[in-house]
Amino acid sequence: MKQYKFILLLFLASNFNNASAQEYLSLKEAIALSLKNNYDIKLVNNDVQIAKNNVSYGNAGILPALQGNFSEGGSNQNTTQITSTGEERNADGVRNTNMNYGVDMGWTIFDGLKMFATYDKLKELQKLGEVNEKAIVLSTIAQVINAYYDLVRQQQLVAATDSALDISRFRVRIAQNKLQIGKGSKLDVLTATVDYNTDTSALLQQKNLVQNAIVNLNQVMARDLNLKIRVREEIAINDQLLYSKLQEATLLLNPVLQNAFINKKVAELSLKEVKAQRYPVVALNGGYGFSRNTNPTGFNKEFQARGLTYGITASINIFNGFLQRQNERNAKIGINSSQLTLEKTQQTISATLLRAYQDYQTNLDLLKVEQGNIEIAKQNLAITFDKYRLGSIAPLELREAQRNSIQAITRFLDAQHQAKLTEISLKEISGTLNIQ
């Protein structure tokens, strides 16, 4: 009986069980649901699709434009004509008609290479959208993992608190038995009952924290908040992360840093677009058209024409009030600003990574300390419990040992959870966070 109590109390409740029929949810399943349902991911995915659709030769102005047109009209007029001989001619209800249709084509064949800079810029904007999507995905995965392991921790604490309640219940029974056989006191029964009620209250509060953790996880997964969740996995810590490898991965994979790199490229391409306005614009044009006009009172009663049209146009900006120079200067300032932003982002992310790694190492050390404390608290409680059953110590000593055990378990679970959070943070910063 004694050994059974200690197992429930001190084994961190990794196999939290109850009589409910809730289904177990794995971490991979939670992440998959979140990636499928998360609203932010859906919104940013739409932005990526728009940016992808915008990457086209036509949108960059490289392809020709072809336009069809059709028009038909007429008039009904009363006319008066006076010829050079002085003769006057009057006509009422003169009906004139005209109809035109055709196809026109325009094709810019040279614009100072602006169209190619624009096309490259559109591709970079697509990459920017994909990087933003990656940032949202990483953030979502991190939120899911944090919420999932918080639920694991809260369930473990429920089991530990429930086990402490079992000891308090056993203590009440012993006190009542001693009172019945005349070897105990009413005070011992009341004290044991108060402690039992205190542990009952703690258990109820801890169960409420579990329910809140379930709501939080359902919210991150963007599904019905009332769905019940149970998890069985322990919190496994990866204690082999190396700062040098994380730093190398961060420079290559961090989405915020990639965003700054791409924005710098976009600024450089914007300067190319502005500089292209110094060169002439050459365009080809052509088309096919048909026109017909009727005018009973004119020199020709009916006129028709059909055929091809073609030509070439060229234009160049000679002077526009120094706007060209101003726009180029502003574009260069934009490049400088993007470079400064990139350097600032690099420093900020490097500092964030270093702080997170220092926290990671500290939490690993704390985890080892607290794990050792659990073993000490376990031995202490075992010895105290044996003495209490033999009647050689007061109930207060057992209560103190019991309280120390619960505190040791709580500190261990908190240290374990914090170590996992810093591990997740490091992987998110370095862009290496995944569902494994």
Side-chain angles (χ1 to χ4, degrees), residues 7 81 83 89 106 155 177 204 206 274 289 317 382:
I7 291 175
Q81 293 180 328
T83 66
R89 298 176 181 176
Q155 286 189 172
N177 292 337
L204 292 174
Q206 187 57 48
V274 173
N317 175 30

Side-chain angles (χ1 to χ4, degrees), residues 20-33:
S20 66
Q22 303 167 12
E23 293 185 1
Y24 286 99
L25 179 72
S26 69
L27 178 58
K28 288 186 178 181
E29 290 171 339
I31 292 175
L33 285 171

Side-chain angles (χ1 to χ4, degrees), residues 50-64:
I50 291 174
K52 183 178 180 180
N53 293 336
N54 287 338
V55 180
S56 65
Y57 291 122
N59 200 28
I62 297 175
L63 298 179

